[in-house]
Amino acid sequence: MSPAANQIEHAAVRQHCKHLRLPTVAMQFDKLAQEAIKERQTHVSYLASLLGAEVEDRERRVVERRLHEARLPRMKTLAEFDFGKAPHISAAQIQSLAEGGYIAHTEPILFIGECGTGKTHLASGLCVAACQQKRRVRFTTAAGLVNELIEAQHHNFLGRALARWARYELIAIDEVGYVPFADVGAELLFQVISDRAERATLIVTTNLPFSEWTTVFSNTRLCKAILDRLTDRAHIIETGTESYRFRRTTEARQRARK
């Protein structure tokens, strides 16, 4: 085949791929064809390799999109978590949760512990694992979520905002307990939590035991209703009281002195 004819065929394949939205096939069909000739693959084997490359790249892009949409504060995975320095936390339990069964069964996860004990890291790691399973995930702080909903209500977009949050398969609400909420904010947060009860799941991190949640939600009945929905069939994981970050800083200073 002449070089000109070869170029025409390549251009036709790329045009078809553009029409069919197969970018990876367009990029790799020639390279994989040359490899197939050298390895004496069958036509079917070559086609399987080519389509497999497209599927693999497409799944990678879906995961990347899910991670971007999750708006994680930092990309922290469970593999990076040092369970050896967190004796209160069961590595086996966390790894089991990472498989995603709690999402399928709409079982909330609550991480309870002092600042610096790994709550946010674990919540982020579970969110990453869910994104890798191509689930729709969103990470937010409690204050950030409440502020967004109050602003939406102010501009008469509350229904639209709530519908957007309802589309996520998993929402992680970080730092419940650091900022007390006025009644309107507490009611909006309750609405998000209530709407997800037994339909979609939540991960919540808090530095407060349940007995002290009335310092955040001053309406006792509302506080009880929030806890009732969050703790139903929940995985409640205590992360302890000793700050991992503080201990890491102390150990680093000791090493520097030596």
Side-chain angles (χ1 to χ4, degrees):
M1 181 181 295
S2 67
N6 190 54
Q7 289 179 1
I8 292 172
E9 285 188 345
H10 279 57
V13 171
R14 292 191 178 93
Q15 186 61 34
H16 292 323
C17 287
K18 182 178 180 180
H19 180 72
L20 295 170
R21 298 181 181 179
L22 300 171
T24 305
V25 171
M27 289 187 294
Q28 298 199 29
F29 78 92
D30 188 44
K31 172 188 172 184
L32 292 180
Q34 297 303 320
E35 292 177 359
I37 292 171
K38 290 180 182 178
E39 298 172 4
R40 297 183 178 181
Q41 295 179 11
T42 65
H43 293 82
V44 173
S45 179
Y46 162 66
L47 180 60
S49 297
L50 188 58
L51 294 177
E54 179 69 44
V55 170
E56 182 178 340
D57 190 58
R58 187 167 296 189
E59 290 186 346
R60 177 187 59 78
R61 283 184 275 119
V62 169
V63 171
E64 288 178 353
R65 187 163 63 250
R66 293 289 184 258
L67 288 168
H68 176 73
E69 292 172 350
R71 301 189 190 183
L72 294 164
R74 294 180 183 84
M75 194 64 65
K76 291 188 175 183
T77 66
L78 295 177
E80 297 169 326
F81 190 83
D82 190 350
F83 287 96
K85 294 185 178 180
H88 294 278
I89 303 169
S90 166
Q93 181 185 18
I94 299 299
Q95 293 301 334
S96 176
L97 289 171
E99 295 174 4
Y102 73 100
I103 300 176
H105 297 110
T106 62
E107 297 167 347
I109 298 176
L110 280 72
F111 290 108
I112 305 173
E114 294 292 339
C115 179
T117 56
K119 302 185 301 296
T120 300
H121 188 152
L122 291 169
S124 298
L126 288 173
C127 285
V128 170
C131 288
Q132 291 170 340
Q133 296 161 9
K134 300 188 284 295
R135 298 182 184 274
R136 296 199 66 193
V137 177
R138 179 66 191 277
F139 188 101
T140 182
T141 62
L145 174 56
V146 167
N147 288 338
E148 179 181 326
L149 295 175
I150 290 175
E151 184 175 358
Q153 186 179 53
H154 178 72
H155 294 287
N156 297 319
F157 296 142
L158 180 59
R160 189 182 305 174
L162 290 171
R164 183 170 62 250
W165 282 97
R167 286 196 293 268
Y168 293 107
E169 296 174 79
L170 171 64
I171 297 175
I173 304 177
D174 197 25
E175 298 179 351
V176 174
Y178 289 88
V179 179
F181 298 116
D183 286 349
V184 62
E187 289 168 4
L188 290 172
L189 184 59
F190 170 74
Q191 190 165 348
V192 172
I193 294 171
S194 179
D195 287 347
R196 300 182 68 79
E198 299 187 19
R199 294 195 300 172
T201 198
L202 288 162
I203 295 175
V204 172
T205 76
T206 180
N207 63 321
L208 296 178
F210 297 139
S211 60
E212 296 179 20
W213 275 41
T214 50
T215 62
V216 180
F217 306 102
S218 57
N219 185 317
T220 304
R221 288 186 177 180
L222 183 62
C223 181
K224 183 178 179 180
I226 289 173
L227 283 172
D228 180 66
R229 283 157 177 77
L230 282 179
T231 57
D232 181 36
R233 301 176 300 108
H235 301 270
I236 300 174
I237 301 171
E238 297 186 8
T239 59
T241 58
E242 185 178 0
S243 170
Y244 169 78
R245 287 193 294 267
F246 180 78
R247 185 168 66 251
R248 180 176 58 189
T249 301
T250 302
E251 291 173 352
R253 289 176 176 173
Q254 291 174 345
R255 288 193 298 269
R257 290 172 183 169
K258 294 179 182 179

